[in-house]
Amino acid sequence: MSEAPHLTFDLEKPGVSKGDLVVPKGADCEALSLPVFSLNKGEGPRLLITGGCHGNELEGPIVARRLIEWLPEAQTCGRIIIVPVLNPPAVQAFTRNTPIDGLNLNRVFPGRADGSATERIADAVSRILLPTADTIFDLHSYGPGWEFPLVNTTHPVADPGLMAKTIRMAEAFKLPMTLIWEHPETPGMFDTLAQNQGKVFICPELGGGEVGAEALAIYEAGVRNGLIALGLVEGKSDYLTFRRQNSVQALETRRSSDELYSPARGIFEPRCSMLDEVKQGDLIGVLYPMDSLTADTIDVLAPGTSIVCGIRSGSYVEVGEFIALLGRPLNR
């Protein structure tokens, strides 16, 4: 490596600054430059907003760029750093993983300075940007092939104080759903790294595979609500209406029963929609085996009373592939 990761400008400079986070070159590619926006208005909360961790989730980069347009006039205190695209090679290729090395950026944190391209990006973000913030908004969407509502997700946090702060911050977005997702233990996630350092980490998600005007407007308004809750922007938070549903609810998942996986390979047809309430035995979807025309279709049924948090859009799935996520009201 010819250099260490670095910013091309001084974060402590008052006002608006624009530059790059330089990720050093390695054996697999030249140096990468991640455009960075900083607005420093003195004392107050320190917020990092990131998008484009996964290259086929474009809502985050779009919303991040929208924020840059109006924040200079709206922000009243503190410092906000925005990185619209954490993984430029993946976004340019419209792939979830980095095409250079095939790795998922959100599974390699804190990264390695001497690693492959994805690991070097994670290392630069972990060493240069993460220490500057006490709160992180990591803007995601669920990517093509899923129907997923606008939802703020977080995983259970061992520290009850940090868990309570995280839930309050997530609910402040006033998105249709706040989901405490008991996700399988997965090393290398950005949120786990931040939360282990005592930071509040919020991850908005949106699914459906299409970058729609309604969803983008609500996504941006939800982030604005979060900025208001932090005290970085003045104004009144708005309750948001999405697909004619104006309820706001906090849900949690049970890892053992709420993640449904395909029992066979074939084409999955959803038979319910996100935010639907289902009871035990209700039809979630139908799987059509394609290896034989004589094979019976397979019904995928709800294991219990729950709410559909996300469901796979009609697509070909393999055995054991994730097809639906269920939840229930959060037990506080």
Side-chain angles (χ1 to χ4, degrees):
M1 295 182 298
S2 59
E3 58 183 7
H6 63 275
L7 286 166
T8 61
F9 64 95
D10 183 5
L11 281 178
E12 300 304 320
K13 179 182 176 182
V16 173
S17 299
K18 297 179 181 180
D20 295 291
L21 173 63
V22 177
V23 179
K25 69 178 182 180
D28 51 0
C29 71
E30 293 298 313
L32 299 171
S33 293
L34 282 55
V36 178
F37 167 93
S38 172
L39 181 49
N40 186 358
K41 292 199 172 181
E43 295 296 320
R46 296 291 191 254
L47 174 66
L48 171 64
I49 300 177
T50 58
C53 179
H54 295 135
N56 61 353
E57 301 175 11
L58 301 183
E59 288 87 348
I62 292 171
V63 170
R65 287 297 300 268
R66 286 186 177 187
L67 298 176
I68 291 171
E69 295 176 2
W70 56 262
L71 267 177
E73 298 298 324
Q75 186 177 333
T76 58
C77 66
R79 183 173 64 200
I80 301 176
I81 299 170
I82 300 178
V83 188
V85 175
L86 282 180
N87 195 339
V91 169
Q92 291 163 11
F94 193 62
T95 55
R96 178 176 175 85
N97 293 358
T98 312
I100 297 169
D101 55 17
L103 296 180
N104 181 340
L105 177 57
N106 203 27
R107 298 296 186 272
V108 300
F109 281 92
R112 290 173 46 203
D114 61 348
S116 66
T118 310
E119 294 170 317
R120 297 197 305 277
I121 293 172
D123 173 71
V125 172
S126 301
R127 285 205 279 158
I128 305 299
L129 295 180
L130 189 57
T132 70
D134 42 49
T135 303
I136 298 91
F137 295 170
D138 188 30
L139 310 183
H140 281 252
S141 51
Y142 215 71
W146 277 85
E147 186 182 21
F148 218 81
L150 279 156
V151 53
N152 254 344
T153 64
T154 187
H155 304 312
V157 180
D159 181 341
L162 181 59
M163 183 81 266
K165 287 172 61 178
T166 301
I167 292 174
R168 287 196 299 270
M169 187 71 257
E171 290 183 315
F173 278 56
K174 293 181 167 47
L175 297 181
M177 184 192 300
T178 296
L179 179 63
I180 313 304
W181 188 344
E182 188 180 327
H183 197 276
E185 290 294 330
T186 305
M189 296 185 73
F190 192 14
D191 54 350
T192 303
L193 175 65
Q195 289 165 343
N196 286 343
Q197 297 178 15
K199 301 175 188 292
V200 172
F201 191 101
I202 304 297
C203 180
E205 294 268 14
L206 168 68
E210 296 180 0
V211 183
E214 178 198 24
L216 283 171
I218 297 173
Y219 201 141
E220 182 181 2
V223 175
R224 179 179 176 274
N225 285 344
L227 296 173
I228 292 171
L230 279 173
L232 290 163
V233 170
E234 292 182 347
K236 182 179 179 181
S237 297
D238 296 322
Y239 279 93
L240 309 168
T241 300
F242 181 58
R243 295 191 178 180
R244 298 179 298 281
Q245 300 192 48
N246 57 10
S247 63
V248 176
Q249 50 192 326
L251 305 175
E252 61 183 344
T253 69
R254 296 173 183 167
R255 180 180 171 186
S256 59
S257 61
D258 291 334
E259 294 182 357
L260 305 185
Y261 297 88
S262 175
R265 62 187 305 183
I267 294 176
F268 176 71
E269 176 197 347
R271 290 289 182 90
C272 57
S273 299
M274 58 183 176
L275 300 182
D276 281 354
E277 294 184 9
V278 294
K279 297 179 180 179
Q280 184 175 3
D282 283 354
L283 188 62
I284 297 293
V286 176
L287 187 74
Y288 298 92
M290 289 293 147
D291 295 337
S292 169
L293 292 179
T294 61
D296 292 334
T297 60
I298 302 172
D299 290 343
V300 179
L301 306 178
T305 300
S306 51
I307 294 171
V308 179
C309 299
I311 189 164
R312 190 74 175 259
S313 181
S315 59
Y316 191 88
V317 295
E318 297 288 343
V319 178
E321 202 164 336
F322 191 24
I323 54 175
L325 177 67
L326 308 178
R328 63 208 69 252
L330 175 63
N331 182 2
R332 299 177 187 274

